[in-house]
Each structure stands twice: as structure tokens, then as C-alpha cells.
């Protein structure tokens, strides 16, 4: 039985990854360390019981004693590090929390994994590996058509979120370069799918449209993001963990670039198609809900990943195209309205008010 330490496994991508891993692998044990911030939700994993193959630990990745105790008590072979503060708008309002969790938390995990895995001769226990899950936002913003982020594209982060992720990437790189620490960094494009917290574009637009609320589009709505179905990301991480060359960095993305406004229009069209005729909300889901609002500060114009390396070295390819993925996602939110109601807590409503009420309409 191989034991994984997954951090942030109660969040969006982490919980999808845990579901994926239990579906795809037998004889694995997952220890899920998560602080259960506003973004972490044990309902995402309600079908997975504590037992021989799964243990949940509520705690902070910055807590040295706690993380050391996990490495002492468990025979951790792989660390899959998702835990982070992940929302750009929150990082603009409160950068410090991002530095603490994303930079110092990653540093703490690196220390503890190093201590647990290092041998007397300075090499590391056979087969151990640390996967640092990061983002394409570290590369900054693309301008020219047909340009892409490659693994050697220089870092140029603009938001406190992406700067904190860039800092954590560089700390992992420093451990690889200095100590020969067994790690990989993966940089993925925008994910979408089940269990995504409704502060992010796609679930926010689904939730607002269902409630007849305005759909707030930042700026001119022509910013481009490169969307990947979350399960394809989970599979990419798993492939890097099993077969990636140690010390290498892999970009993950499916060449699916879309302007934000097109995403919002697609969601409206699909909700109209998928809501039953007799659902009273259907009539209110129209393009009239689209409201252009003041732009995000430092808003990156375009992201687009070149996934050539992970394709050629590991044979990874996305299996879900956007047309299917967005339908599956909307279906999931329609079928899981209880989940959605459950995560929209007082804290989220306060954030929503702070982020959107001050924005001028354009
Ligand atoms: P999320 O915000 O949905 O989940 C983050 C999880 O981390 C939550 O469960 C939260 O409780 C936990 N967490 C936060 N601070 C913690 C701390 N101090 N200690 C322990 N746990 C803590 O985020 P996500 O969208 O699932 O992203 C996961 C990772 O993937 C992040 O590192 C993010 O940078 C990266 N990433 C996200 C995307 C995307 O589109 N969402 C794309 C590329 C990379
Ligand atoms: O209300 C909104 N209106 C709007 O126009 C929101 C929430 C977003 N947007 C725009 C901003 C972006 O151009 O939509 C685009 C996507 O926004 P987010 O969902 O906030 O994602 P993004 O900022 O691109 O970052 C995401 O992808 C990379 C994740 O949140 C990061 O964690 C990940 O690293």
C-alpha cells in the first residue's frame, strides 16, 4: 500500500483528485491534510469513509509540529501539494494570507518532507516524490496571438496570488537545484468542473444566473483563459507523479482558449436548454443579466498553455472537450443545489458584497 499525503484535499481540485485516485488505483492510502478554510469542504468527500485507505487531518500546512507528526506516523511516499489560497480577487484585498499559506506553508512542507526522506549520505529515500501543484498565472500575461506559455517562459506574476505561487514554485526549484530534492512542479491552466467554489468565474455565473442576479463581467469581457476539465488535471498530476522525470517542470493545459464573455454566454444558453420548461427560474436566465463592471486590478489579458512536453514525454492529453465538460459541470451544479447552498456561508456573502458592491458598472 502506497501512502500519499495530499494537502488541500477538501478544496476543488484536491477533492476531484482524491476521487480520481480512488477510482483509478487500488492499494493506495491517502492522508488528506486540510485546514478547512472557507474553500475547504468535507462534503466534497462525503462518499469516502475514514479507514485503512483514507485519513483526514484537519490542520494548517504552516504547522511544523503537525506536519512532522504526519511524516512520523505515516510512511509517506508521495506528497501532492494543492493547499493554497487560490482566488485572485481575494489576494488583491488581503495579500498577507496568500504569502503565509502559499509561500511559508510550502516552505514548511518542503522542510518536513526533506527531513523525513533524506538519508545519511544526503540522497533521498527511493521512490519518494513531492508534486507541487501550481498555475500558469506565474508566467504573467500573453499579448501576441499564437503565443504560449512553455516551461521555460520567464516568470512575470502580476497579482499577489500569482506572485505567492511564483515564490512557492521557486522554493521548490531551489530544493531541487540545491539538494537534489525529488520533486516536480506542474503549472496548469484554469480548471472547471464539480465542487468548484462559486467565487470563480464558471460556478459564480451559474449560481448568479439561477438566482436571477447580475452576471458581473470584468472590463470588456475579452480577457482569455485556457480552460481544462478538472479530471484531466488530476490525471496529468498522477502521470507526472508516476512517470515524470524527477526535478522537471510540466505545463498542463488543453488548448482551450476562450474569452470570458463567450463563457458567460455559453452558460446562459446551456442553462436555458437544460432547465426544465416548468422551472420558474428559466425565464429569468437571459443575456440581459450580463453586466459589465469595473475591471479587476492588474487583470492579466490572456493565458494559454503549451502542453507539448507532458504530451510528448508522458502521453498526457485531455479526454474531456469543453463542450462536454461545461455540460457535465452545469448538470452537476443543477443536481447539487444543496451543496451550493451549503457553501454560500456568511463569510462568502461578506466577500461578495466587498468585491462587487464597490465596482462601478461600465
Ligand atoms: P481551493 O481554494 O478550492 O482549495 C484550496 C484548499 O486548500 C481548501 O480545501 C483549503 O481549505 C485548503 N487550505 C487553504 N489554506 C490552507 C492551509 N494553510 N493549510 C491547509 N490547508 C489549506 O483551490 P483549488 O482551485 O482547488 O486549487 C488547488 C491548487 O491548484 C492551488 O495550489 C492552486 O494554486 C492550484 N491551481 C488551481 C487552478 C484553478 O483553476 N483552480 C489552476 C491551476 C493551479
Ligand atoms: O465575477 C467575475 N467576473 C469576471 O469577469 C470573476 C470572478 C471573474 N471574471 C474574470 C476574471 C478572469 O479573467 O474571469 C476570468 C476567470 O476568473 P477566475 O475564475 O477568478 O480565475 P483566474 O483569475 O483566471 O484564476 C484561476 O485560474 C488559475 C484560479 O482562480 C487560480 O487559482 C488558478 O491558478
Amino acid at each position: 500500500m502506497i501512502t500519499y499525503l495530499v494537502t488541500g484535499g477538501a478544496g476543488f481540485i484536491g477533492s476531484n483528485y482524491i476521487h480520481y485516485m480512488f477510482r483509478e488505483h487500488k492499494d493506495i492510502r491517502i492522508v488528506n491534510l486540510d485546514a478547512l478554510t472557507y474553500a475547504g469542504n468535507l462534503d466534497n468527500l462525503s462518499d469516502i469513509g475514514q479507514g485503512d485507505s483514507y485519513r483526514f487531518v484537519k490542520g494548517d500546512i504552516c504547522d511544523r509540529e503537525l506536519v512532522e507528526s504526519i511524516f512520523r506516523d505515516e510512511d509517506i511516499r508521495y506528497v501532492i501539494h494543492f493547499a493554497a489560497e487560490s482566488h485572485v480577487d481575494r489576494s488583491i484585498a488581503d495579500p498577507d494570507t496568500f504569502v503565509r499559506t502559499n509561500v511559508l506553508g510550502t516552505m514548511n512542507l518542503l522542510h518536513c518532507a526533506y527531513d523525513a526522506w533524506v538519508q545519511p549520505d544526503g540522497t533521498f529515500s527511493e521512490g519518494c516524490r513531492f508534486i507541487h501543484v501550481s498555475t500558469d498565472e506565474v508566467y504573467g500575461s500573453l499579448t501576441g496571438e499564437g503565443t504560449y506559455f512553455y516551461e521555460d517562459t520567464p516568470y512575470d506574476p502580476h497579482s499577489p496570488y500569482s506572485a505567492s505561487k511564483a515564490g512557492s514554485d521557486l522554493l521548490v526549484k531551489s530544493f531541487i537545484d540545491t539538494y537534489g530534492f525529488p520533486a516536480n512542479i506542474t503549472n496548469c491552466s484554469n480548471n472547471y468542473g464539480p465542487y468548484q467554489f462559486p467565487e470563480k468565474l464558471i460556478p459564480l455565473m451559474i449560481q448568479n444566473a439561477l438566482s436571477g442576479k447580475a452576471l458581473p463581467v470584468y472590463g470588456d469581457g475579452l480577457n482569455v483563459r485556457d480552460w481544462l476539465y478538472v479530471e484531466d488535471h488530476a490525471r496529468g498530476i498522477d502521470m507526472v507523479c508516476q512517470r515524470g522525470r524527477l526535478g522537471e517542470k510540466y505545463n498542463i493545459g488543453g488548448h482551450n482558449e476562450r474569452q470570458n464573455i463567450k463563457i458567460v454566454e455559453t452558460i446562459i444558453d446551456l442553462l436555458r436548454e437544460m432547465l426544465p420548461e416548468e422551472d420558474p427560474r428559466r425565464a429569468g436566465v437571459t443575456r440581459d443579466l450580463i453586466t459589465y463592471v469595473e475591471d479587476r486590478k492588474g487583470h492579466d489579458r490572456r493565458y494559454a498553455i503549451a502542453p507539448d512536453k507532458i504530451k510528448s514525454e508522458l502521453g498526457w492529453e485531455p479526454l474531456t472537450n469543453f463542450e462536454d465538460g461545461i455540460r457535465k459541470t452545469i448538470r452537476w451544479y443543477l443536481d447539487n443545489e444543496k451543496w451550493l447552498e451549503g457553501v454560500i456561508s456568511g463569510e462568502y456573502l461578506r466577500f461578495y458584497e466587498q468585491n462587487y458592491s464597490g465596482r462601478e458598472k461600465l
Side-chain angles (χ1 to χ4, degrees), residues 86-89 135-137 161 188-191 199-202 204-205 216-218 223 225 227 260 296 299-300 303 356:
S86 69
H87 191 38
V88 173
D89 291 321
T135 169
D136 57 1
E137 300 200 16
Y161 163 70
C188 188
S189 60
N190 284 60
N191 284 214
E199 65 191 353
K200 306 285 166 47
L201 180 75
I202 289 180
L204 183 139
M205 295 298 164
V217 175
Y218 296 161
N223 297 60
R225 296 292 181 265
W227 295 93
N260 293 337
R296 175 183 276 175
H299 198 176
D300 288 333
Y303 301 146
Y356 292 95

Side-chain angles (χ1 to χ4, degrees), residues 112-127:
C112 296
Y114 176 98
D115 287 346
W117 293 343
V118 74
Q119 305 289 302
D121 65 356
T123 62
F124 293 89
S125 302
E126 187 67 26

Side-chain angles (χ1 to χ4, degrees), residues 1-4 6 16-30 48 52-54 77-78 80 231 233-243:
M1 177 111 79
I2 292 176
T3 304
Y4 290 69
V6 172
N16 277 286
Y17 170 82
I18 291 176
H19 283 124
Y20 173 86
M21 291 299 286
F22 281 131
R23 257 196 330 269
E24 295 296 316
H25 297 277
K26 299 207 166 38
D27 277 349
I28 62 167
R29 171 170 166 78
I30 292 180
I48 298 173
D52 286 349
S53 57
Y54 178 71
R77 167 84 78 93
Y78 301 127
I80 315 292
E231 211 172 280
H233 186 189
R235 212 177 64 265
I237 291 168
D238 190 27
M239 286 172 130
V240 170
C241 184
Q242 303 306 325
R243 294 191 279 113

Side-chain angles (χ1 to χ4, degrees), residues 276-293:
E277 294 259 336
E278 62 279 10
D279 192 311
R281 296 170 299 182
R282 188 170 174 275
V285 180
T286 71
R287 293 193 181 190
D288 293 343
L289 292 176
I290 295 174
T291 309
Y292 288 90
V293 298

Side-chain angles (χ1 to χ4, degrees), residues 8 10-14 34-37 39-40 59-61 82-86 101 133-135 161 165 188-191 196 200:
F12 162 50
I13 305 176
D34 196 301
L36 297 182
T37 67
D60 191 332
I61 56 167
F82 294 99
E85 288 293 334
S86 69
T101 288
V133 179
S134 190
T135 169
Y161 163 70
K165 291 297 290 187
C188 188
S189 60
N190 284 60
N191 284 214
Q196 187 166 31
K200 306 285 166 47

